[in-house]
Amino acid sequence: MPYSIGQVAKKTGLSTYTLRYYDRKGLMPFVKRSPSGRREFTDKNLDFIDLITCLKGTGMQLSEIRKFVELAMQGDATLTTRLNIFKQQQEAVKAQIKQSQKFLDKLDYKVRFYTAACEAGTETAVSGNCDLPDQPIVINEQLRVKRA
Amino acid sequence: MPYSIGQVAKKTGLSTYTLRYYDRKGLMPFVKRSPSGRREFTDKNLDFIDLITCLKGTGMQLSEIRKFVELAMQGDATLTTRLNIFKQQQEAVKAQIKQSQKFLDKLDYKVRFYTAACEAGTETAVSGNCDLPDQPIVINEQLRVKRA
DNA sequence: ATATAACTTAGAGTATACGCTAACTCAAAC
DNA sequence: GTTTGAGTTAGCGTATACTCTAAGTTATAT
């Protein structure tokens, strides 16, 4: 039994608007229609939508995803091309995670800095250098507003 | 010696358009002007722009960053509020990294799958389940198109 | 002194990814 | 058989974040 667009929306968390939009954008040429024109999604289709969600979640644009889908529709002739797309995206995600980790390091430093600042009652009493995150954060007792 | 907007653009990698746009959006109320109205960025300003870039890079919207900037301009009275914003963003980034890692796992699987498919010459010869990524990927020798 | 490069603002234009409405059709329940 | 809920398309509207142009001013180098 195929799924209706509403059922797919519930299953995937995407809105029906989004699903139709994706379809219009050429991301779902594999979805068959009932005699009256309604979309009928199979379980295999759902897997593919999961993949689309994955690619989208890693920053791939809909236009690029469309290209991938078109390759996939062409069958085995495009296997290596598709493999390369996945390898490329793999590297992209690794780089993204690295970048996010750098940002997280900065945030970690900020939390330590602001924790000290809150304790001292003022930012001016706190020393520390954001670009040297391992450097200790020190409170200048002379400048404290709040006493411990 | 203060920096001009062009120099800041080079240093930060943001375009002058973007810097002015950020300014207009209230993200840089701390930037002073020369008598003739030109922006004069200090090194401290550059650090703050780095922070803005960090927050933006972790998915914070400009409108939210603006709120943070406004709090920062109010001084020590908003220290705990700002600390909480950083803590919140810290958690958000951790969650993002986790999600990205999940997507990466899926991509890793796809690379393994497609590598096998390329070797076999056809997708149909390859078995494997994306939701059980530890399951081995097996090539059905009967369905091979390309012989090893 | 003047060319040119860089700055200024206001505001229009672009890209992406939706979200929503209107007007209509269709399927299932009662 | 008719209501109700869900589906359909076309197309307009929105949000975000730029990106660029136009028209003018200012700073710097020759």
Side-chain angles (χ1 to χ4, degrees), chain A residues 54 57-58 76 79-80 82-83 86 90 93 97 100-101 103-104 107-108 111 114-115 117-118 121-123, chain B residues 54 57-58 76 79-80 82-83 86 90 93 97 100-101 103-104 107-108 111 114-115 117-118 121-123:
Chain A
C54 171
T58 60
D76 289 337
L79 275 175
T80 54
R82 282 183 278 158
L83 172 58
F86 282 124
Q90 210 180 21
V93 177
I97 291 177
S100 290
Q101 189 57 55
F103 286 142
L104 185 55
L107 288 175
D108 287 348
V111 167
Y114 274 83
T115 300
C118 284
T122 177
E123 251 182 276
Chain B
C54 170
T58 60
D76 290 335
L79 275 175
T80 55
R82 282 182 279 159
L83 172 58
F86 282 124
Q90 210 180 21
V93 177
I97 291 177
S100 290
Q101 189 56 55
F103 287 142
L104 184 56
L107 289 175
D108 287 348
V111 167
Y114 274 83
T115 300
C118 284
T122 177
E123 249 180 277

mmCIF file of all heavy atoms in Angstrom, chain A residues 54 57-58 76 79-80 82-83 86 90 93 97 100-101 103-104 107-108 111 114-115 117-118 121-123, chain B residues 54 57-58 76 79-80 82-83 86 90 93 97 100-101 103-104 107-108 111 114-115 117-118 121-123:
data_model
loop_
_atom_site.group_PDB
_atom_site.id
_atom_site.type_symbol
_atom_site.label_atom_id
_atom_site.label_comp_id
_atom_site.label_asym_id
_atom_site.label_seq_id
_atom_site.Cartn_x
_atom_site.Cartn_y
_atom_site.Cartn_z
ATOM 1 N N CYS A 54 19.203 13.982 4.189
ATOM 2 C CA CYS A 54 20.596 13.892 4.618
ATOM 3 C C CYS A 54 21.463 14.865 3.843
ATOM 4 O O CYS A 54 22.201 15.665 4.426
ATOM 5 C CB CYS A 54 21.094 12.462 4.455
ATOM 6 S SG CYS A 54 22.871 12.251 4.700
ATOM 7 N N GLY A 57 20.664 18.338 4.766
ATOM 8 C CA GLY A 57 21.148 18.614 6.118
ATOM 9 C C GLY A 57 22.640 18.854 6.189
ATOM 10 O O GLY A 57 23.152 19.457 7.127
ATOM 11 N N THR A 58 23.348 18.386 5.175
ATOM 12 C CA THR A 58 24.788 18.608 5.150
ATOM 13 C C THR A 58 25.139 19.819 4.293
ATOM 14 O O THR A 58 26.300 20.012 3.951
ATOM 15 C CB THR A 58 25.517 17.368 4.615
ATOM 16 O OG1 THR A 58 25.059 17.104 3.283
ATOM 17 C CG2 THR A 58 25.238 16.166 5.485
ATOM 18 N N ASP A 76 22.836 2.551 -13.632
ATOM 19 C CA ASP A 76 24.208 2.123 -13.338
ATOM 20 C C ASP A 76 25.300 2.905 -14.087
ATOM 21 O O ASP A 76 26.447 2.933 -13.636
ATOM 22 C CB ASP A 76 24.356 0.635 -13.646
ATOM 23 C CG ASP A 76 23.603 -0.224 -12.643
ATOM 24 O OD1 ASP A 76 23.368 0.268 -11.520
ATOM 25 O OD2 ASP A 76 23.248 -1.365 -12.987
ATOM 26 N N LEU A 79 27.109 5.395 -11.821
ATOM 27 C CA LEU A 79 27.523 4.932 -10.482
ATOM 28 C C LEU A 79 28.763 5.654 -9.963
ATOM 29 O O LEU A 79 28.780 6.120 -8.825
ATOM 30 C CB LEU A 79 27.777 3.418 -10.520
ATOM 31 C CG LEU A 79 26.542 2.549 -10.327
ATOM 32 C CD1 LEU A 79 26.917 1.076 -10.500
ATOM 33 C CD2 LEU A 79 25.926 2.771 -8.954
ATOM 34 N N THR A 80 29.782 5.751 -10.796
ATOM 35 C CA THR A 80 31.028 6.356 -10.310
ATOM 36 C C THR A 80 30.840 7.851 -10.044
ATOM 37 O O THR A 80 31.402 8.382 -9.089
ATOM 38 C CB THR A 80 32.184 6.151 -11.310
ATOM 39 O OG1 THR A 80 31.775 6.629 -12.585
ATOM 40 C CG2 THR A 80 32.541 4.681 -11.425
ATOM 41 N N ARG A 82 28.144 9.250 -9.043
ATOM 42 C CA ARG A 82 27.436 9.354 -7.764
ATOM 43 C C ARG A 82 28.354 9.035 -6.591
ATOM 44 O O ARG A 82 28.300 9.702 -5.552
ATOM 45 C CB ARG A 82 26.218 8.431 -7.779
ATOM 46 C CG ARG A 82 25.054 9.018 -8.552
ATOM 47 C CD ARG A 82 23.848 8.124 -8.501
ATOM 48 N NE ARG A 82 23.917 7.036 -9.488
ATOM 49 C CZ ARG A 82 23.232 5.896 -9.396
ATOM 50 N NH1 ARG A 82 22.469 5.683 -8.346
ATOM 51 N NH2 ARG A 82 23.335 4.984 -10.335
ATOM 52 N N LEU A 83 29.198 8.040 -6.775
ATOM 53 C CA LEU A 83 30.164 7.720 -5.721
ATOM 54 C C LEU A 83 31.019 8.946 -5.403
ATOM 55 O O LEU A 83 31.238 9.284 -4.240
ATOM 56 C CB LEU A 83 31.059 6.551 -6.159
ATOM 57 C CG LEU A 83 32.241 6.226 -5.243
ATOM 58 C CD1 LEU A 83 31.785 5.916 -3.827
ATOM 59 C CD2 LEU A 83 33.058 5.066 -5.801
ATOM 60 N N PHE A 86 29.227 11.506 -3.335
ATOM 61 C CA PHE A 86 29.171 11.132 -1.918
ATOM 62 C C PHE A 86 30.516 11.366 -1.243
ATOM 63 O O PHE A 86 30.580 11.866 -0.117
ATOM 64 C CB PHE A 86 28.742 9.672 -1.762
ATOM 65 C CG PHE A 86 27.269 9.469 -1.939
ATOM 66 C CD1 PHE A 86 26.774 8.576 -2.873
ATOM 67 C CD2 PHE A 86 26.358 10.162 -1.151
ATOM 68 C CE1 PHE A 86 25.404 8.382 -3.030
ATOM 69 C CE2 PHE A 86 24.994 9.976 -1.302
ATOM 70 C CZ PHE A 86 24.521 9.084 -2.250
ATOM 71 N N GLN A 90 31.135 13.879 1.761
ATOM 72 C CA GLN A 90 31.743 13.318 2.965
ATOM 73 C C GLN A 90 32.840 14.269 3.467
ATOM 74 O O GLN A 90 32.880 14.620 4.648
ATOM 75 C CB GLN A 90 32.390 11.986 2.570
ATOM 76 C CG GLN A 90 32.466 10.927 3.622
ATOM 77 C CD GLN A 90 33.129 9.667 3.051
ATOM 78 O OE1 GLN A 90 33.846 9.713 2.041
ATOM 79 N NE2 GLN A 90 32.900 8.544 3.692
ATOM 80 N N VAL A 93 31.403 17.520 4.833
ATOM 81 C CA VAL A 93 30.833 17.403 6.179
ATOM 82 C C VAL A 93 31.936 17.325 7.220
ATOM 83 O O VAL A 93 31.844 17.927 8.298
ATOM 84 C CB VAL A 93 29.909 16.178 6.282
ATOM 85 C CG1 VAL A 93 29.384 16.018 7.700
ATOM 86 C CG2 VAL A 93 28.749 16.312 5.311
ATOM 87 N N ILE A 97 32.258 19.878 10.314
ATOM 88 C CA ILE A 97 32.335 19.477 11.717
ATOM 89 C C ILE A 97 33.574 20.097 12.367
ATOM 90 O O ILE A 97 33.514 20.587 13.491
ATOM 91 C CB ILE A 97 32.345 17.937 11.838
ATOM 92 C CG1 ILE A 97 30.979 17.368 11.448
ATOM 93 C CG2 ILE A 97 32.711 17.501 13.261
ATOM 94 C CD1 ILE A 97 30.885 15.848 11.463
ATOM 95 N N SER A 100 32.774 23.685 12.998
ATOM 96 C CA SER A 100 31.849 23.797 14.122
ATOM 97 C C SER A 100 32.584 23.583 15.438
ATOM 98 O O SER A 100 32.299 24.243 16.443
ATOM 99 C CB SER A 100 30.717 22.780 13.991
ATOM 100 O OG SER A 100 29.861 23.131 12.931
ATOM 101 N N GLN A 101 33.537 22.659 15.408
ATOM 102 C CA GLN A 101 34.306 22.375 16.622
ATOM 103 C C GLN A 101 35.128 23.598 17.036
ATOM 104 O O GLN A 101 35.234 23.922 18.213
ATOM 105 C CB GLN A 101 35.215 21.166 16.390
ATOM 106 C CG GLN A 101 35.884 20.656 17.649
ATOM 107 C CD GLN A 101 34.881 20.292 18.737
ATOM 108 O OE1 GLN A 101 33.978 19.492 18.520
ATOM 109 N NE2 GLN A 101 35.007 20.906 19.914
ATOM 110 N N PHE A 103 34.325 26.730 16.398
ATOM 111 C CA PHE A 103 33.371 27.680 16.955
ATOM 112 C C PHE A 103 32.998 27.263 18.376
ATOM 113 O O PHE A 103 32.870 28.096 19.274
ATOM 114 C CB PHE A 103 32.129 27.775 16.072
ATOM 115 C CG PHE A 103 32.335 28.524 14.779
ATOM 116 C CD1 PHE A 103 31.723 28.110 13.610
ATOM 117 C CD2 PHE A 103 33.139 29.659 14.734
ATOM 118 C CE1 PHE A 103 31.908 28.814 12.413
ATOM 119 C CE2 PHE A 103 33.332 30.364 13.536
ATOM 120 C CZ PHE A 103 32.710 29.933 12.383
ATOM 121 N N LEU A 104 32.831 25.958 18.562
ATOM 122 C CA LEU A 104 32.475 25.459 19.889
ATOM 123 C C LEU A 104 33.580 25.767 20.895
ATOM 124 O O LEU A 104 33.306 26.143 22.041
ATOM 125 C CB LEU A 104 32.207 23.949 19.825
ATOM 126 C CG LEU A 104 31.698 23.296 21.112
ATOM 127 C CD1 LEU A 104 30.446 23.982 21.621
ATOM 128 C CD2 LEU A 104 31.437 21.806 20.886
ATOM 129 N N LEU A 107 33.158 29.236 21.910
ATOM 130 C CA LEU A 107 32.025 29.380 22.823
ATOM 131 C C LEU A 107 32.389 28.862 24.214
ATOM 132 O O LEU A 107 32.012 29.464 25.222
ATOM 133 C CB LEU A 107 30.809 28.627 22.271
ATOM 134 C CG LEU A 107 30.140 29.251 21.052
ATOM 135 C CD1 LEU A 107 29.027 28.347 20.541
ATOM 136 C CD2 LEU A 107 29.590 30.628 21.377
ATOM 137 N N ASP A 108 33.126 27.747 24.250
ATOM 138 C CA ASP A 108 33.557 27.191 25.534
ATOM 139 C C ASP A 108 34.369 28.226 26.296
ATOM 140 O O ASP A 108 34.190 28.429 27.497
ATOM 141 C CB ASP A 108 34.417 25.931 25.314
ATOM 142 C CG ASP A 108 33.587 24.735 24.875
ATOM 143 O OD1 ASP A 108 32.336 24.813 24.960
ATOM 144 O OD2 ASP A 108 34.173 23.732 24.436
ATOM 145 N N VAL A 111 32.125 30.934 27.643
ATOM 146 C CA VAL A 111 31.382 30.507 28.836
ATOM 147 C C VAL A 111 32.277 30.596 30.072
ATOM 148 O O VAL A 111 31.858 31.071 31.128
ATOM 149 C CB VAL A 111 30.827 29.073 28.647
ATOM 150 C CG1 VAL A 111 30.349 28.496 29.971
ATOM 151 C CG2 VAL A 111 29.689 29.079 27.638
ATOM 152 N N TYR A 114 32.760 34.390 30.800
ATOM 153 C CA TYR A 114 31.580 35.047 31.360
ATOM 154 C C TYR A 114 31.219 34.501 32.734
ATOM 155 O O TYR A 114 30.660 35.221 33.553
ATOM 156 C CB TYR A 114 30.406 34.940 30.386
ATOM 157 C CG TYR A 114 30.411 36.046 29.358
ATOM 158 C CD1 TYR A 114 31.188 35.960 28.210
ATOM 159 C CD2 TYR A 114 29.670 37.202 29.558
ATOM 160 C CE1 TYR A 114 31.221 36.976 27.277
ATOM 161 C CE2 TYR A 114 29.684 38.229 28.631
ATOM 162 C CZ TYR A 114 30.464 38.118 27.487
ATOM 163 O OH TYR A 114 30.484 39.142 26.573
ATOM 164 N N THR A 115 31.543 33.240 32.969
ATOM 165 C CA THR A 115 31.310 32.675 34.296
ATOM 166 C C THR A 115 32.156 33.429 35.317
ATOM 167 O O THR A 115 31.664 33.822 36.391
ATOM 168 C CB THR A 115 31.652 31.178 34.305
ATOM 169 O OG1 THR A 115 30.823 30.507 33.354
ATOM 170 C CG2 THR A 115 31.430 30.574 35.683
ATOM 171 N N ALA A 117 33.361 36.436 34.855
ATOM 172 C CA ALA A 117 32.887 37.816 34.879
ATOM 173 C C ALA A 117 31.647 37.962 35.760
ATOM 174 O O ALA A 117 31.514 38.923 36.525
ATOM 175 C CB ALA A 117 32.599 38.296 33.462
ATOM 176 N N CYS A 118 30.751 36.984 35.667
ATOM 177 C CA CYS A 118 29.551 37.008 36.500
ATOM 178 C C CYS A 118 29.929 36.925 37.966
ATOM 179 O O CYS A 118 29.359 37.615 38.817
ATOM 180 C CB CYS A 118 28.619 35.846 36.136
ATOM 181 S SG CYS A 118 27.721 36.119 34.598
ATOM 182 N N GLY A 121 31.364 40.129 38.966
ATOM 183 C CA GLY A 121 30.400 41.211 38.864
ATOM 184 C C GLY A 121 30.699 42.201 37.757
ATOM 185 O O GLY A 121 29.910 43.090 37.479
ATOM 186 N N THR A 122 31.861 42.051 37.141
ATOM 187 C CA THR A 122 32.218 42.963 36.054
ATOM 188 C C THR A 122 33.207 42.321 35.090
ATOM 189 O O THR A 122 34.066 41.535 35.503
ATOM 190 C CB THR A 122 32.826 44.273 36.587
ATOM 191 O OG1 THR A 122 33.230 45.094 35.503
ATOM 192 C CG2 THR A 122 34.027 44.003 37.476
ATOM 193 N N GLU A 123 33.060 42.666 33.831
ATOM 194 C CA GLU A 123 33.940 42.139 32.790
ATOM 195 C C GLU A 123 35.364 42.640 32.959
ATOM 196 O O GLU A 123 36.323 41.937 32.679
ATOM 197 C CB GLU A 123 33.439 42.625 31.418
ATOM 198 C CG GLU A 123 32.824 41.544 30.562
ATOM 199 C CD GLU A 123 32.396 42.090 29.205
ATOM 200 O OE1 GLU A 123 31.278 42.653 29.121
ATOM 201 O OE2 GLU A 123 33.163 41.942 28.254
ATOM 202 N N CYS B 54 31.527 33.970 14.512
ATOM 203 C CA CYS B 54 31.390 32.698 15.217
ATOM 204 C C CYS B 54 29.926 32.371 15.479
ATOM 205 O O CYS B 54 29.456 31.278 15.148
ATOM 206 C CB CYS B 54 32.175 32.764 16.532
ATOM 207 S SG CYS B 54 31.880 31.374 17.651
ATOM 208 N N GLY B 57 28.228 31.594 12.323
ATOM 209 C CA GLY B 57 28.673 30.299 11.829
ATOM 210 C C GLY B 57 28.051 29.123 12.549
ATOM 211 O O GLY B 57 28.013 28.010 12.035
ATOM 212 N N THR B 58 27.549 29.386 13.739
ATOM 213 C CA THR B 58 26.898 28.310 14.489
ATOM 214 C C THR B 58 25.386 28.359 14.293
ATOM 215 O O THR B 58 24.644 27.711 15.031
ATOM 216 C CB THR B 58 27.236 28.409 15.982
ATOM 217 O OG1 THR B 58 26.782 29.666 16.488
ATOM 218 C CG2 THR B 58 28.724 28.298 16.198
ATOM 219 N N ASP B 76 27.950 45.538 32.260
ATOM 220 C CA ASP B 76 27.983 44.451 33.243
ATOM 221 C C ASP B 76 26.606 43.992 33.734
ATOM 222 O O ASP B 76 26.464 42.865 34.205
ATOM 223 C CB ASP B 76 28.841 44.868 34.442
ATOM 224 C CG ASP B 76 30.326 44.937 34.090
ATOM 225 O OD1 ASP B 76 30.724 44.243 33.133
ATOM 226 O OD2 ASP B 76 31.073 45.666 34.767
ATOM 227 N N LEU B 79 25.550 40.663 32.183
ATOM 228 C CA LEU B 79 26.547 39.581 32.126
ATOM 229 C C LEU B 79 25.927 38.189 32.173
ATOM 230 O O LEU B 79 26.271 37.322 31.364
ATOM 231 C CB LEU B 79 27.546 39.731 33.283
ATOM 232 C CG LEU B 79 28.718 40.690 33.020
ATOM 233 C CD1 LEU B 79 29.555 40.845 34.279
ATOM 234 C CD2 LEU B 79 29.576 40.171 31.872
ATOM 235 N N THR B 80 25.014 37.978 33.117
ATOM 236 C CA THR B 80 24.445 36.623 33.264
ATOM 237 C C THR B 80 23.587 36.260 32.059
ATOM 238 O O THR B 80 23.590 35.118 31.609
ATOM 239 C CB THR B 80 23.613 36.496 34.551
ATOM 240 O OG1 THR B 80 22.619 37.517 34.565
ATOM 241 C CG2 THR B 80 24.488 36.637 35.782
ATOM 242 N N ARG B 82 24.078 37.243 29.027
ATOM 243 C CA ARG B 82 24.997 36.900 27.950
ATOM 244 C C ARG B 82 25.631 35.529 28.180
ATOM 245 O O ARG B 82 25.792 34.743 27.250
ATOM 246 C CB ARG B 82 26.073 37.989 27.817
ATOM 247 C CG ARG B 82 25.552 39.210 27.088
ATOM 248 C CD ARG B 82 26.638 40.245 26.915
ATOM 249 N NE ARG B 82 26.827 41.052 28.115
ATOM 250 C CZ ARG B 82 27.927 41.736 28.402
ATOM 251 N NH1 ARG B 82 28.968 41.653 27.582
ATOM 252 N NH2 ARG B 82 28.003 42.471 29.481
ATOM 253 N N LEU B 83 25.955 35.256 29.441
ATOM 254 C CA LEU B 83 26.503 33.925 29.761
ATOM 255 C C LEU B 83 25.520 32.844 29.340
ATOM 256 O O LEU B 83 25.907 31.842 28.720
ATOM 257 C CB LEU B 83 26.791 33.825 31.267
ATOM 258 C CG LEU B 83 27.179 32.430 31.791
ATOM 259 C CD1 LEU B 83 28.408 31.887 31.073
ATOM 260 C CD2 LEU B 83 27.418 32.469 33.297
ATOM 261 N N PHE B 86 25.485 32.224 25.642
ATOM 262 C CA PHE B 86 26.627 31.403 25.204
ATOM 263 C C PHE B 86 26.413 29.936 25.558
ATOM 264 O O PHE B 86 26.693 29.055 24.756
ATOM 265 C CB PHE B 86 27.922 31.919 25.825
ATOM 266 C CG PHE B 86 28.466 33.136 25.143
ATOM 267 C CD1 PHE B 86 28.719 34.294 25.857
ATOM 268 C CD2 PHE B 86 28.727 33.136 23.780
ATOM 269 C CE1 PHE B 86 29.219 35.431 25.218
ATOM 270 C CE2 PHE B 86 29.226 34.269 23.140
ATOM 271 C CZ PHE B 86 29.474 35.415 23.872
ATOM 272 N N GLN B 90 26.201 26.984 22.947
ATOM 273 C CA GLN B 90 27.120 25.859 23.143
ATOM 274 C C GLN B 90 26.363 24.533 22.963
ATOM 275 O O GLN B 90 26.794 23.650 22.215
ATOM 276 C CB GLN B 90 27.635 25.956 24.578
ATOM 277 C CG GLN B 90 29.006 25.438 24.846
ATOM 278 C CD GLN B 90 29.353 25.608 26.333
ATOM 279 O OE1 GLN B 90 28.456 25.736 27.186
ATOM 280 N NE2 GLN B 90 30.637 25.590 26.631
ATOM 281 N N VAL B 93 25.292 23.973 19.334
ATOM 282 C CA VAL B 93 26.381 23.527 18.451
ATOM 283 C C VAL B 93 26.693 22.058 18.703
ATOM 284 O O VAL B 93 26.931 21.295 17.759
ATOM 285 C CB VAL B 93 27.642 24.395 18.641
ATOM 286 C CG1 VAL B 93 28.782 23.868 17.782
ATOM 287 C CG2 VAL B 93 27.351 25.838 18.299
ATOM 288 N N ILE B 97 26.603 19.249 15.817
ATOM 289 C CA ILE B 97 27.718 18.354 15.497
ATOM 290 C C ILE B 97 27.249 16.899 15.540
ATOM 291 O O ILE B 97 27.593 16.095 14.670
ATOM 292 C CB ILE B 97 28.903 18.588 16.455
ATOM 293 C CG1 ILE B 97 29.534 19.957 16.190
ATOM 294 C CG2 ILE B 97 29.955 17.484 16.311
ATOM 295 C CD1 ILE B 97 30.672 20.329 17.123
ATOM 296 N N SER B 100 25.290 16.289 12.409
ATOM 297 C CA SER B 100 26.202 16.201 11.265
ATOM 298 C C SER B 100 26.912 14.856 11.259
ATOM 299 O O SER B 100 27.144 14.267 10.195
ATOM 300 C CB SER B 100 27.235 17.326 11.320
ATOM 301 O OG SER B 100 26.620 18.567 11.057
ATOM 302 N N GLN B 101 27.249 14.374 12.440
ATOM 303 C CA GLN B 101 27.934 13.080 12.545
ATOM 304 C C GLN B 101 27.025 11.958 12.045
ATOM 305 O O GLN B 101 27.472 11.037 11.358
ATOM 306 C CB GLN B 101 28.360 12.844 14.000
ATOM 307 C CG GLN B 101 29.266 11.646 14.178
ATOM 308 C CD GLN B 101 30.518 11.722 13.313
ATOM 309 O OE1 GLN B 101 31.258 12.682 13.365
ATOM 310 N NE2 GLN B 101 30.741 10.695 12.478
ATOM 311 N N PHE B 103 24.646 12.293 9.796
ATOM 312 C CA PHE B 103 24.613 12.416 8.342
ATOM 313 C C PHE B 103 25.899 11.851 7.746
ATOM 314 O O PHE B 103 25.877 11.173 6.718
ATOM 315 C CB PHE B 103 24.416 13.870 7.929
ATOM 316 C CG PHE B 103 23.023 14.394 8.157
ATOM 317 C CD1 PHE B 103 22.807 15.689 8.594
ATOM 318 C CD2 PHE B 103 21.916 13.593 7.916
ATOM 319 C CE1 PHE B 103 21.516 16.182 8.787
ATOM 320 C CE2 PHE B 103 20.618 14.073 8.113
ATOM 321 C CZ PHE B 103 20.429 15.374 8.555
ATOM 322 N N LEU B 104 26.997 12.131 8.426
ATOM 323 C CA LEU B 104 28.284 11.633 7.936
ATOM 324 C C LEU B 104 28.305 10.104 7.941
ATOM 325 O O LEU B 104 28.825 9.479 7.008
ATOM 326 C CB LEU B 104 29.427 12.193 8.790
ATOM 327 C CG LEU B 104 30.837 11.846 8.343
ATOM 328 C CD1 LEU B 104 31.089 12.272 6.899
ATOM 329 C CD2 LEU B 104 31.875 12.494 9.268
ATOM 330 N N LEU B 107 26.559 8.990 4.938
ATOM 331 C CA LEU B 107 27.396 9.193 3.752
ATOM 332 C C LEU B 107 28.499 8.139 3.689
ATOM 333 O O LEU B 107 28.808 7.617 2.612
ATOM 334 C CB LEU B 107 28.008 10.598 3.769
ATOM 335 C CG LEU B 107 27.036 11.742 3.507
ATOM 336 C CD1 LEU B 107 27.742 13.083 3.667
ATOM 337 C CD2 LEU B 107 26.427 11.628 2.120
ATOM 338 N N ASP B 108 29.083 7.815 4.841
ATOM 339 C CA ASP B 108 30.113 6.773 4.883
ATOM 340 C C ASP B 108 29.549 5.467 4.340
ATOM 341 O O ASP B 108 30.192 4.769 3.553
ATOM 342 C CB ASP B 108 30.601 6.568 6.324
ATOM 343 C CG ASP B 108 31.473 7.722 6.813
ATOM 344 O OD1 ASP B 108 31.884 8.551 5.977
ATOM 345 O OD2 ASP B 108 31.728 7.797 8.023
ATOM 346 N N VAL B 111 29.162 5.650 0.606
ATOM 347 C CA VAL B 111 30.442 5.505 -0.095
ATOM 348 C C VAL B 111 30.831 4.027 -0.170
ATOM 349 O O VAL B 111 31.268 3.548 -1.223
ATOM 350 C CB VAL B 111 31.542 6.339 0.597
ATOM 351 C CG1 VAL B 111 32.924 5.943 0.082
ATOM 352 C CG2 VAL B 111 31.306 7.819 0.370
ATOM 353 N N TYR B 114 28.384 2.380 -2.731
ATOM 354 C CA TYR B 114 28.643 2.730 -4.125
ATOM 355 C C TYR B 114 29.997 2.228 -4.599
ATOM 356 O O TYR B 114 30.172 1.943 -5.788
ATOM 357 C CB TYR B 114 28.515 4.243 -4.326
ATOM 358 C CG TYR B 114 27.098 4.661 -4.588
ATOM 359 C CD1 TYR B 114 26.201 4.860 -3.541
ATOM 360 C CD2 TYR B 114 26.634 4.834 -5.886
ATOM 361 C CE1 TYR B 114 24.891 5.228 -3.767
ATOM 362 C CE2 TYR B 114 25.329 5.201 -6.134
ATOM 363 C CZ TYR B 114 24.452 5.391 -5.069
ATOM 364 O OH TYR B 114 23.154 5.741 -5.316
ATOM 365 N N THR B 115 30.930 2.122 -3.672
ATOM 366 C CA THR B 115 32.220 1.546 -4.039
ATOM 367 C C THR B 115 32.022 0.105 -4.494
ATOM 368 O O THR B 115 32.555 -0.323 -5.533
ATOM 369 C CB THR B 115 33.195 1.608 -2.849
ATOM 370 O OG1 THR B 115 33.375 2.983 -2.473
ATOM 371 C CG2 THR B 115 34.546 1.008 -3.208
ATOM 372 N N ALA B 117 29.166 -1.115 -5.561
ATOM 373 C CA ALA B 117 28.342 -1.094 -6.775
ATOM 374 C C ALA B 117 29.197 -0.791 -7.999
ATOM 375 O O ALA B 117 29.015 -1.396 -9.058
ATOM 376 C CB ALA B 117 27.231 -0.058 -6.622
ATOM 377 N N CYS B 118 30.144 0.128 -7.847
ATOM 378 C CA CYS B 118 31.042 0.450 -8.961
ATOM 379 C C CYS B 118 31.868 -0.772 -9.331
ATOM 380 O O CYS B 118 32.077 -1.055 -10.519
ATOM 381 C CB CYS B 118 31.954 1.619 -8.587
ATOM 382 S SG CYS B 118 31.136 3.216 -8.616
ATOM 383 N N GLY B 121 29.666 -3.125 -11.050
ATOM 384 C CA GLY B 121 29.149 -2.587 -12.304
ATOM 385 C C GLY B 121 27.660 -2.317 -12.278
ATOM 386 O O GLY B 121 27.118 -1.741 -13.213
ATOM 387 N N THR B 122 27.009 -2.693 -11.195
ATOM 388 C CA THR B 122 25.559 -2.450 -11.076
ATOM 389 C C THR B 122 25.117 -2.412 -9.627
ATOM 390 O O THR B 122 25.654 -3.132 -8.786
ATOM 391 C CB THR B 122 24.766 -3.521 -11.831
ATOM 392 O OG1 THR B 122 23.368 -3.291 -11.632
ATOM 393 C CG2 THR B 122 25.101 -4.912 -11.329
ATOM 394 N N GLU B 123 24.146 -1.570 -9.383
ATOM 395 C CA GLU B 123 23.601 -1.422 -8.032
ATOM 396 C C GLU B 123 22.868 -2.676 -7.587
ATOM 397 O O GLU B 123 22.887 -3.025 -6.413
ATOM 398 C CB GLU B 123 22.590 -0.260 -8.027
ATOM 399 C CG GLU B 123 23.051 0.952 -7.248
ATOM 400 C CD GLU B 123 21.996 2.042 -7.298
ATOM 401 O OE1 GLU B 123 21.935 2.805 -8.283
ATOM 402 O OE2 GLU B 123 21.234 2.122 -6.328
#
